Amino acid sequence: MNEVKTEKLGEAWPSVEVRYTHETTQVMAAEVIEKIPPLLTEFRCAYCERVFGSLSELQAHYTSEHPDAVVPRIITLHINSRYCQVLVEPHWTLKRTLQYRLGLTGTKEMCDKGVCGSCTVIMDGRPILSCTTLAVECEGKDIQTIEGIAAELKNKPLIDAYCKWDAMQCGYCTPGFLVTAKALLDKFPEPTEEQIKEALSGNICSCGTYPRHITAIMEASEKMRQGA
Amino acid sequence: MADLVGANGQRENFRIVGKPNTPGKLSYALATGIAKFGIDYVVPNMLHAKFLRSPYANAKVVSVDVTKAKAIPGVVDIVTWEDEDIKNLNSFGESFGPKRPWLDNYAEHEGAEVAVIVVAENEDICEEALRQLDLDWEVRPHLIDIKEGRKQDAPVIREPANEIPGLGGPGMGGGNPPRKGNVTYSNLVAGDIEAGFHEADHVIEYDLYLPPFACRFPNPSGSVAWWSDDFYAGEGRSLHIEGAVRERKAISNMYRMPLEKTVQEGLFMGGKYCDWGLRKSQEITPLLAKRTGRPVRCVNTREESFDFIMKERYMHMKVGFKDSGLITAVDDYSIADGGVEGSSSFGTSGDQRYGPYNTLKCQNIRQRMEIVDSNRGKMYVSGQHCPFNWDSGTMAVYLIAEELNRDPIDIARINLHGPTSQSDPTPVPSFEACVEEGKKLMNWSWHKAGTKRLPDSRLHGMSFRYQMCPRHAFSGYESKLELRDGVVHMATQGPIFGVFAVECNAMVVAEELGLEYDDISIDFDYREKFSPVGGGADGTTASAWVTKECANILKQRILEAVIEEADNPAPPSMFSFGQPQVPSPFKGLKPEDLDMADGKVFVKAEPSKGVPLAQAVKRNLFATYSGMPPLALWTQGMGRMLDTMNTAYCEVAVDTETGEVEILKLGVVADPGKIMRLTSLESQIDQVMYFSQGCQLLEDFCYDERTGVKLNNNMIDYKIPTMLDVPDVDRHFLESRAGNAAYGASGISHSLANTHLIIIAIHNAIGVWVDPPATPDKILEALGKV
Ligand code: FES
Ligand code: FES
């Protein structure tokens, strides 16, 4: 983050000036990914927050203290080109795992029912809804989240076009749209308007941004092809 | 009217203001997912909280035994309504209506928060603990159908102690009948209604159903709070809360914390379009964090987010008019959902004064409203409804046109009073300009209902609607600008909720100081006072007016400082190495000899003599301005002055075999006075048209009448338009400069939202009325085909 601490006139507190540009947000996204630990070093009980040094110790604790509880398990995910071990319970969705285990909060939740597309991530090249996908089903898959897209310089034209064309108002649904758009452009680098509408028809925006996405994706597609 | 008193209000050349595609200052954070909303925060050691929600539409928790729930591993705290901490809580949030305890044992709708809050290590444990509560419920009769609820023999659903009407209810207009059963009354009378009908050559009567629809938060409401000993402001603990509020005052008051020790650093509120009421999940976390000594998160689920942004209303209208189409009397009777206790009275009596009638020459108006208590749900403070009873007027214009076989645009024109007052007979220039463009845009050729078939055999319908663009600004703004190290900074607390108000203000600063948009640095800081919010575009144009004044004060200070520094140059520094100092080209001049453009200060008489701003003045400067633009329409009497107007048009094709409606074209010609930020103006119009499309074609609250339980409070069954549903909206803008905010802008907030533009076009196609939402089955039923 590009933070500039400055003394402000007539004010006692230092001001934090945050500039969000493509460059700064690319760095921020990369930092978020960088923070994901590849290996689990602590094993936390979901009920009493006690922390153990290994899964077997945690399992022993469950057996003695919470015999009726479902024991968490370790899975290995491949997210944004990084492998990471994650402790999850079998019913945890990928969305929940991204937020609570990996600090990837760019994936949003609007409906929690597979309707709105806000939680879209790309899995093995296809856009999927992380709120209706169990984390345990994601082992061995290649997952890209909005942070992964934002961290890659080659996606700059898409992100620039989204910002230039205000393809957002409150911005809550925007990462979901952008991830879907990225998956579309990967598959159809030169999409038609109809293909864009079809691809984004599962993404809901309550702020009326629909036509803006078409303009932004069309422009990004052209720029990406020129740059390719 | 017009920005006559403000600095440069009559500016003619605009370099920045009105330009498209100036990226939002926070857009990159939003697009890349870096932006965090309340729901996103995960704080180390965080606990989760959940409210008990009533499974019944009207019930009381007589007693609760929490023993089993408390024994569940991972449950950290359980609070009930009988707890002193809860009894001492008082909401200072933006909500209207009678004061009930912040949480009690009485639930007035299914899904209402009631009696118990559980705090646990995770949400799964919270849910399990709620299931393990031993609850003794007293289930009471409920009321979902307000037309039944108004009847004398209907069960009275509210306890007598809780019968106090909400804001704007009975008593406001005086002379209202006393409350009866579930009904309170709100009546307003102007002129002589009997004489008005006596004068009329024709009388029409019609029914109008204003549909309820759901709040528009894309991000489920909630907050995370913690208490910390930190550096935020002086000694003692700070309350840190994220995801809570537009301004922190409500939370700081509630917890009796000094404002400077109430911290909210996040900037992103999500789409809060005039739905400002704080939810309990946004208010409770500080208490729970205090009790547990750990951060606490409480976020509503989507199912828990189906509050109303507008409650339903049944209207019966009687309108008298002359052969010329001139309206002589309006009798407006309605039965409105009063909602549960504490619901906003906007949408019921609160907007009776803001209706379409004030725009008419006719001054014989009677409005009678029965406000019926119900167990349908809650509407928090919300303003999206304001334009909705407007469509009772849109319908009147349409029906008169049908009766007289005249174009509804002509009927509207005959009835509109002049720009300055209700007795002004002159035409409204903004309206005339809008309809002239609108006719071109739509290739307008009016036809009577049911008379036009398209080549593919579907029926063609069209409709027209006008509104005024409300001049807002009944709230003031405090703007602060600084020149710091040669860069102009605009300080604001934000937060950001989707109207690009900050950017619009930055554009004004750039315009006034001869800088580029990107030259203006925004200092987002929650402690700053300036918040350019205040509704939507109307608040933006009003805050931009204040910022324009502030920018001109800063400009004056800059020019004075330039002259002072030119006349008194600093002595050469040790790093100038004996180089001769170049004398300033401004030496000996006066501030009024100078101006600013292209990032430079220059001599007016010799524009080639210019120096970049950062070199022309070395010192840091700041300016403040506190106030509001004059003549806010909302306080002048909405509709009694007509300066900036907008018009909307719709064309549909109705398939009489399938009942399917296709919107062929939505057209908007709007005069926002002055376009401030084109891209967001366009977006707001798209949003409001889609929003209106949703409520007329798709959205519906479905209840099980027997239990009062909502059946579709999820996004699968409660449908809002997707990209495949929405038509292109053809928009055309005019700039009359006749508004009162910056450069004569008004904004278009609220004014284009409608409940009947499409419904009227459907009637014009098929010749029979279908209440919103006009789903294919209802259309076939209206056509007698099922
Ligand atoms: S949150 Fe996953 S589809 Fe809506
Ligand atoms: S931009 Fe707000 S929900 Fe899409």
Side-chain angles (χ1 to χ4, degrees), chain A residues 63-79:
Chain A
T63 310
S64 65
E65 303 290 325
H66 315 299
D68 298 334
V70 182
V71 185
R73 67 166 89 160
I74 298 173
I75 57 170
T76 302
L77 297 177
H78 187 237
I79 296 195

Side-chain angles (χ1 to χ4, degrees), chain A residues 8 11 49 108 160 166, chain B residues 28 40 121 480 528 677:
Chain A
K8 292 206 297 184
E11 305 291 354
E49 285 291 288
K108 306 298 185 193
D160 279 348
D166 273 6
Chain B
Y28 279 95
D40 295 326
E121 297 290 347
K480 185 175 84 180
E528 289 292 352
R677 186 173 183 276

Side-chain angles (χ1 to χ4, degrees), chain A residues 110 118 166-174 177 204-210 213, chain B residues 30 37 216-219 270-273 497-498 687:
Chain A
M110 188 189 294
S118 297
D166 273 6
M168 68 200 79
Q169 284 203 86
C170 80
Y172 189 70
C173 69
T174 318
F177 271 91
I204 287 183
C205 172
S206 51
C207 301
T209 60
Y210 293 141
H213 297 274
Chain B
L30 295 166
F37 300 77
R216 276 301 189 276
F217 299 153
N219 46 321
K272 250 177 128 57
Y273 298 106
F497 68 101
Q687 179 195 23

Side-chain angles (χ1 to χ4, degrees), chain A residues 6-11 13-22 25-26 28-29 32 44 46-49 65-66 89 91-92 95-96 99-100 105-113 115-116 146-147 150 156 159-166 168-175 177-178 193-194 196-198 200-201 203-214, chain B residues 21-37 39-42 45-46 48 73-75 121-125 216-220 267-268 270-271 273 294 297 302-303 480 482-484 489 491 496-500 521-525 527-528 620-622 677 679-680 682-684 686-687 690 714-716 720-724 726 728 731:
Chain A
T6 48
E7 274 302 318
K8 292 206 297 184
L9 282 169
E11 305 291 354
W13 63 76
S15 157
V16 178
E17 189 185 317
V18 186
R19 289 203 191 97
Y20 293 105
T21 62
H22 181 264
T25 49
Q26 189 189 352
M28 289 179 211
V32 173
R44 189 173 290 263
Y47 294 91
C48 54
E49 285 291 288
E65 303 290 325
H66 315 299
E89 292 175 46
H91 65 286
W92 273 42
K95 163 73 189 86
R96 188 171 177 180
Q99 177 171 4
Y100 287 99
T105 54
T107 304
K108 306 298 185 193
E109 174 192 308
M110 188 189 294
C111 70
D112 197 24
K113 282 271 186 294
V115 187
C116 73
I146 184 66
E147 289 86 353
K156 183 175 187 305
I159 295 165
D160 279 348
Y162 260 68
C163 296
K164 174 181 161 191
W165 287 100
D166 273 6
M168 68 200 79
Q169 284 203 86
C170 80
Y172 189 70
C173 69
T174 318
F177 271 91
L178 203 136
E193 189 172 324
E194 284 317 303
I196 296 173
K197 281 189 179 172
E198 189 69 40
L200 296 184
S201 62
N203 288 75
I204 287 183
C205 172
S206 51
C207 301
T209 60
Y210 293 141
R212 311 247 146 220
H213 297 274
I214 299 167
Chain B
N21 299 354
T22 47
K25 295 283 182 184
L26 298 172
S27 292
Y28 279 95
L30 295 166
T32 56
I34 293 300
K36 273 192 192 175
F37 300 77
I39 185 174
D40 295 326
Y41 282 83
V42 177
N45 210 22
M46 183 174 86
H48 297 257
V75 171
E121 297 290 347
N122 61 47
E123 286 184 315
D124 299 336
I125 302 171
R216 276 301 189 276
F217 299 153
N219 46 321
L267 290 168
F268 305 96
Y273 298 106
R294 290 170 62 180
R297 174 186 193 264
R302 174 54 56 190
E303 284 70 22
K480 185 175 84 180
E482 293 183 40
L483 178 71
R484 200 160 72 228
H489 293 254
I496 300 307
F497 68 101
V499 295
F500 293 98
S521 177
I522 313 269
D523 294 350
F524 285 103
D525 188 326
R527 291 158 294 194
E528 289 292 352
N620 292 342
L621 298 164
F622 74 102
R677 186 173 183 276
T679 325
S680 33
E682 290 171 345
S683 272
Q684 291 227 318
D686 289 346
Q687 179 195 23
Y690 302 157
N714 62 73
M715 288 180 68
I716 300 173
I720 68 172
T722 70
M723 198 174 270
L724 290 179
V726 298
D728 285 341
R731 331 171 204 88

